[in-house]
Amino acid sequence: MLKVENLHKSYQVGKNTYEVLKGVSLEVKKGEFVAVMGPSGSGKTTLLNCISCYIPAGSGSIRLGDTELARLDEDSLAEIRNQKLGFVFQDFLLLDGLTVRQNILLPSIIGGLVTDLVERRADQLCEVFGISGIQDKYPAEISGGEKQRTAVARALINHPLLILADEPTGNLDSKSTRTVIRSFEQAKDSLEATIFMVTHDSYAASFCDRVVILRDGVVWRALEKNAEDREHFQDRLLDSIREMGRE
């Protein structure tokens, strides 16, 4: 589904060059829920921005399905972002002047693809994520958890190949965090979604199938959940983070 190979990215500040990604390679398979963790400055957000092609990588390969993203022009990239990638952000980025349902339909509205089938898809997503009762409300009238569930539904409206989530629980309390993570689980289990999430939260990451830990621009370790329960997987994540800190 997503394959990143030997990805490098540097920033030039004055006469100084700062290498942020130093040969990152990873793969996300269809139907997986994968998290990326790491300390501040490890390259998590830069990696996500390179995958979405909002910033160009210095070198390396980013393949989404059979498409090499770095070779596409801006028009083709805009089409990929609208039709094959879904985005969930820490700050929700809902439009205040649109209802919940209209926000969910927004990617299809932008693409000029609002059909009866898409309308039914929006209704299905509202049911899956438990927001049918608020679909006619505006963002100012709903909770943070409801806003993020709306954002997840919006990300799924066009049947994307991959959802990219950037710290989706960063502004939420523990109860809302669990609700949003449950939304991702529902998207994976019921809608066969593939999710790539950047997070600093070991609790949120412990619900994933696999966690990739970045350190200083490289993949330091990758942990797979296997058959263990969530609590034991979180313990392993915390042990790895403590070990990285000691090193």
Side-chain angles (χ1 to χ4, degrees):
M1 175 62 68
L2 172 69
K3 190 170 186 179
V4 177
E5 292 184 294
N6 198 29
L7 198 67
H8 289 258
K9 175 63 182 177
S10 299
Y11 292 101
Q12 191 76 29
V13 181
K15 295 182 179 180
N16 297 317
T17 300
Y18 298 94
E19 192 173 15
V20 180
L21 300 179
K22 306 172 184 177
V24 172
S25 296
L26 56 85
E27 189 169 356
V28 181
K29 298 177 182 177
K30 181 176 174 58
E32 271 195 310
F33 185 7
V34 176
V36 173
M37 297 186 70
S40 297
S42 61
K44 303 187 300 296
T45 298
T46 297
L47 173 62
L48 198 72
N49 286 333
C50 286
I51 291 171
S52 63
C53 294
Y54 281 117
I55 60 173
S59 62
S61 173
I62 305 169
R63 296 190 68 84
L64 181 64
D66 296 326
T67 304
E68 174 57 60
L69 298 184
R71 297 177 183 172
L72 299 179
D73 59 29
E74 277 302 318
D75 288 341
S76 299
L77 283 174
E79 184 176 347
I80 288 286
R81 293 188 196 111
N82 184 259
Q83 297 183 14
K84 296 187 178 181
L85 293 174
F87 297 91
V88 180
F89 303 96
Q90 180 175 346
D91 295 322
F92 319 129
L93 297 185
L94 302 179
L95 296 185
D96 293 335
L98 300 182
T99 65
V100 163
R101 193 172 190 276
Q102 290 168 339
N103 268 286
I104 291 170
L105 286 166
L106 189 59
S108 297
I109 293 171
I110 291 171
L113 299 171
V114 181
T115 63
D116 289 343
L117 184 63
V118 172
E119 296 268 9
R120 290 196 295 272
R121 170 77 168 175
D123 291 336
Q124 177 197 17
L125 291 169
C126 285
E127 289 180 15
V128 168
F129 298 129
I131 52 177
S132 296
I134 61 166
Q135 62 179 321
D136 294 325
K137 291 187 176 183
Y138 291 88
E141 301 174 310
I142 63 178
S143 70
E146 289 168 335
K147 289 177 183 177
Q148 199 60 295
R149 278 184 279 162
T150 300
V152 175
R154 179 185 59 189
L156 287 161
I157 190 66
N158 283 343
H159 296 275
L161 293 178
L162 179 68
I163 292 177
L164 299 175
D166 188 7
E167 299 281 8
T169 63
N171 285 337
L172 302 177
D173 59 27
S174 58
K175 182 179 178 181
S176 296
T177 292
R178 181 65 186 92
T179 301
V180 170
I181 293 300
R182 178 58 187 150
S183 297
F184 282 127
E185 290 180 315
Q186 287 173 296
K188 174 180 177 292
D189 297 338
S190 303
L191 305 171
E192 299 181 342
T194 305
I195 304 158
F196 186 70
M197 175 178 73
V198 166
T199 184
H200 68 279
D201 184 357
S202 64
Y203 175 76
S206 67
F207 289 90
C208 296
D209 302 309
R210 192 155 43 89
V211 177
V212 177
I213 300 176
L214 295 186
R215 177 185 179 186
D216 297 330
V218 299
V219 175
W220 180 74
R221 181 171 295 173
L223 300 175
E224 195 163 346
K225 184 182 284 185
N226 301 317
E228 67 195 309
D229 60 29
R230 188 205 65 76
E231 289 82 4
H232 284 94
F233 189 42
Q234 184 177 12
D235 288 342
R236 277 209 293 139
L237 285 173
L238 291 171
D239 287 343
S240 292
I241 292 168
R242 283 190 286 266
E243 180 183 341
M244 182 172 60
R246 288 194 295 269
E247 290 183 359

